């Protein structure tokens, strides 16, 4: 904990820094496996959101915007936790860690760009295996910073089911997501890949039908 973002802030005397009792409680501490525990998976999210949506704390510490944190509340992960009681669904600590939370630019952070696929793989092992065998995954293993990782396509806190029209990877949105890289002139020149793929695709029957909402083209 002392080496985490929270711990370093506490040692520095930051009054807003969480301490053990902030998350675990005081006299009423219960085991993490107890549904009444404040750090039981379904309850833990509320503990994190309580601080990370406090506008005073967010502004003073330059934390991610409140709306980015609130986006998790409508994600597929949160819905699985709160609406279906699936405690295996990703809560804050599953991606960020518990006591050892570190900033994303720290190589040891679970959400460092080069650690994200393995963090997601804790739940999505089969998809991770397919990813690392792909052209993107092979370059990721070489620590190529240009290749997309899970969050580049699916998002972060706001992840929706791929069957939801609001999902970044819903059928009619995929072409646009891919074009974020494949329309990039610098990347096209660097890797010798064809550019203007989205523009030409949207002029085809498939592209027009997709734009009109056809999810099967």
């Amino acid at each position: 904990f002392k080496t985490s973002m929270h711990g370093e802030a506490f040692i520095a005397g930051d009054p807003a820094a969480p301490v053990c009792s902030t998350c675990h409680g005081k006299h009423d501490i219960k085991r993490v496996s107890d549904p009444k525990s404040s750090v039981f998976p379904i309850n833990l999210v509320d503990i994190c959101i309580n601080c990370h949506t406090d506008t005073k704390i967010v502004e003073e510490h330059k934390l991610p915007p409140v709306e980015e944190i609130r986006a998790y509340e409508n994600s597929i992960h949160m819905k699985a936790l709160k609406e279906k009681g699936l405690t295996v669904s990703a809560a804050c600590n599953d991606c960020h860690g518990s006591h050892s939370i570190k900033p994303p630019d720290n190589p040891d952070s679970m959400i460092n760009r080069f650690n994200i696929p393995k963090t997601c793989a804790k739940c999505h092992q089969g998809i991770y295996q397919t990813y690392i065998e792909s052209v993107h995954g092979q370059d990721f293993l070489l620590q190529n910073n240009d290749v997309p990782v899970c969050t580049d396509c699916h998002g972060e806190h706001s992840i929706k089911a791929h069957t939801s029209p609001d999902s970044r990877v819903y059928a009619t949105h995929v072409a646009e997501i891919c074009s974020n890289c494949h329309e990039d002139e610098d990347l096209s020149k660097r890797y010798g890949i064809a550019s203007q793929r989205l523009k030409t695709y949207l002029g085809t029957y498939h592209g027009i039908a997709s734009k009109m909402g056809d999810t099967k083209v």
Side-chain angles (χ1 to χ4, degrees):
F1 173 76
K2 286 163 62 176
T3 64
S4 72
M5 296 176 69
H6 292 153
E8 289 178 350
F10 169 70
I11 292 170
D14 185 344
V19 294
C20 310
S21 57
T22 308
C23 302
H24 293 275
K26 296 178 180 177
H27 295 123
D28 59 342
I29 296 172
K30 296 179 174 60
R31 295 180 183 277
V32 67
S33 58
D34 187 330
K36 294 182 180 179
S37 168
S38 58
V39 291
F40 186 69
I42 293 176
N43 305 325
L44 176 68
V45 174
D46 295 330
I47 296 291
C48 299
I49 285 180
N50 186 49
C51 287
H52 284 271
T53 57
D54 184 313
T55 53
K56 182 179 178 182
I57 293 176
V58 170
E59 289 173 5
E60 286 183 359
H61 297 79
K62 296 181 172 58
L63 299 177
V66 170
E67 56 268 22
E68 286 187 17
I69 305 301
R70 288 289 185 195
Y72 174 79
E73 295 178 312
N74 293 313
S75 71
I76 188 173
H77 290 145
M78 180 67 155
K79 288 182 180 296
L81 272 174
K82 292 289 189 177
E83 295 179 10
K84 298 183 179 179
L86 294 176
T87 56
V88 295
S89 184
C92 311
N93 62 307
D94 291 304
C95 300
H96 294 273
S98 299
H99 299 121
S100 59
I101 298 171
K102 293 179 171 58
D105 59 354
N106 186 313
D108 294 328
S109 170
M110 291 175 65
I111 57 168
N112 179 275
R113 184 170 183 79
F114 291 114
N115 295 332
I116 285 176
K118 286 187 178 179
T119 294
C120 296
K122 291 193 302 177
C123 295
H124 302 282
Q125 180 60 41
I127 294 173
Y128 170 74
Q129 194 61 42
T130 301
Y131 169 76
I132 61 171
E133 293 172 1
S134 72
V135 64
H136 289 151
Q138 289 296 296
D139 270 5
F140 164 77
L141 293 177
L142 297 174
Q143 294 206 318
N144 184 329
N145 197 46
D146 289 333
V147 297
V149 294
C150 316
T151 50
D152 290 313
C153 300
H154 294 274
E156 297 170 350
H157 293 134
S158 59
I159 297 172
K160 303 282 196 306
H162 73 278
T163 53
S164 169
D166 294 329
S167 170
R168 288 161 56 95
V169 292
Y170 185 64
T172 58
H173 300 161
V174 170
E176 186 177 346
I177 289 296
C178 295
S179 72
N180 287 334
C181 291
H182 287 271
E183 289 283 276
D184 187 289
E185 291 185 13
D186 289 338
L187 291 178
S188 295
K189 292 176 182 176
R190 191 177 308 159
Y191 298 103
I193 56 178
S195 61
Q196 297 188 331
R197 298 292 85 185
L198 181 63
K199 181 179 179 180
T200 54
Y201 171 72
L202 291 178
T204 67
Y205 168 81
H206 292 148
I208 294 170
S210 179
K211 267 292 191 183
M212 295 179 67
D214 191 325
T215 61
K216 297 186 182 300
V217 296

